[in-house]
Amino acid sequence: MAQFTEFPLLPTGDPKSVNRILLNFIRQTPKEGEPFKDFRKRAKRVGLWERERLGALLRFLHVAQDDPIRPSRFMLTVANSEDDEAANKHLIERLWVINPLLLVETLRRLKERVHSTNELLKYIDSFAYPGARLTGPSFRAWVHLAQGAGLFHLVGIRLGLTELGEAHLKRAEDFDLEEFLEEDEDEPLPQPLNPPPAPEPTLVAPPQLAPAPAPTLVAPPQPALVPAPAPP
């Protein structure tokens, strides 16, 4: 299990409608894969594309940044689901896998009373939350995913638990926080099948040695002249 702290860009709108956009995007991914440019074009068309958050989208879908993009087991499971309800069960399970602590703490918090998204964000960003910190946009994207999948719903202008959310409370209450924090590690990223070629080594010419200076000829010292003694 891991603690994802970045979540993909989602289009604005009703969470149920946004959720359906995401599920259809996953379903329309060819099983044999598709060129990266086609994946990007489809993502742009439905509002799931942002260059700076491409890594978050690929990690959430659990696919490698490759060319072609090949659907992950999670994507194939969603695509093979009978209907949206069955697909959402797999989406919720994906939320458990990528950051169970965030889901557990939010379910427990909403069990006490309804909260607005900003109130939940303040709690998640406080010392009371033992997990890794999330940015505001990333947390709101996560809430959108969970709400669209059917865990939360609006009670006035605040969020409350649905019957499906309450059904997951037992799992949240049985969650072993200390064990999770001891064993928490990032989810292994899938490896691309077509990694970019390694750059060719650059040959560097050896440094040219400056020619040695010519030796300087030094004349031997002349013996000192001693005057002859004067005749007696």
Side-chain angles (χ1 to χ4, degrees), residues 135-159:
T135 64
S138 194
F139 178 73
R140 291 184 178 90
W142 179 86
V143 169
H144 229 63
L145 286 168
Q147 186 177 351
L151 291 174
F152 317 140
H153 66 160
L154 284 178
V155 180
I157 59 172
R158 289 179 167 81
L159 291 172

Side-chain angles (χ1 to χ4, degrees), residues 15-17 19-20 23 84-85 87-89 91-92 95 103 107 110 142-154 159-168:
K16 291 287 185 183
S17 301
N19 172 265
R20 195 169 296 112
L23 294 181
D84 284 357
E85 182 179 355
N88 278 324
K89 290 181 180 179
L91 181 59
I92 292 172
L95 294 178
L103 190 51
L107 288 172
L110 290 180
W142 179 86
V143 169
H144 229 63
L145 286 168
Q147 186 177 351
L151 291 174
F152 317 140
H153 66 160
L154 284 178
L159 291 172
L161 292 180
T162 61
E163 290 184 3
L164 182 60
E166 291 176 353
H168 281 272

Side-chain angles (χ1 to χ4, degrees), residues 32 44 46 75 87:
E32 67 277 6
K44 284 183 176 180
V46 298
M75 296 176 68

